[in-house]
Amino acid sequence: MENLAFIAIGCVMLIFRKSFASLIIDFQNRVWGFRFGEREKKASIFVIVIVGLGFITLSLLAIFGVIHKRGT
């Protein structure tokens, strides 16, 4: 069941990657006083896509029994 949640999280990350990246960069600029701009937003989008695909891939592998949790 948790694997389906991770797939959903990965899909949401891929669908809303631009707004999520803007939210992250704006938060860092406001809270930490950074002056990140468009270049950093593009880098954040790249990282969000990689992490989202990782969530989806690992969850699918777990669903199909290719990988297992430790201790189970």
Side-chain angles (χ1 to χ4, degrees):
M1 192 65 172
E2 64 192 24
N3 290 322
L4 295 177
F6 286 129
I7 289 174
I9 290 169
C11 289
V12 167
M13 289 177 76
L14 292 177
I15 293 169
F16 297 108
R17 64 186 174 270
K18 290 182 182 179
S19 58
F20 191 50
S22 293
L23 182 71
I24 291 169
I25 296 300
D26 293 341
F27 175 79
Q28 290 176 350
N29 286 342
R30 187 177 62 249
V31 172
W32 299 107
F34 296 144
R35 296 179 185 215
F36 293 145
E38 289 302 315
R39 185 178 60 167
E40 287 79 13
K41 284 183 184 179
K42 289 179 182 178
S44 293
I45 290 171
F46 178 75
V47 171
I48 290 168
V49 167
I50 297 299
V51 171
L53 289 174
F55 269 77
I56 294 169
T57 303
L58 291 175
S59 297
L60 287 174
L61 289 173
I63 287 172
F64 293 128
V66 177
I67 60 174
H68 304 282
K69 278 193 202 176
R70 276 188 186 216
T72 57

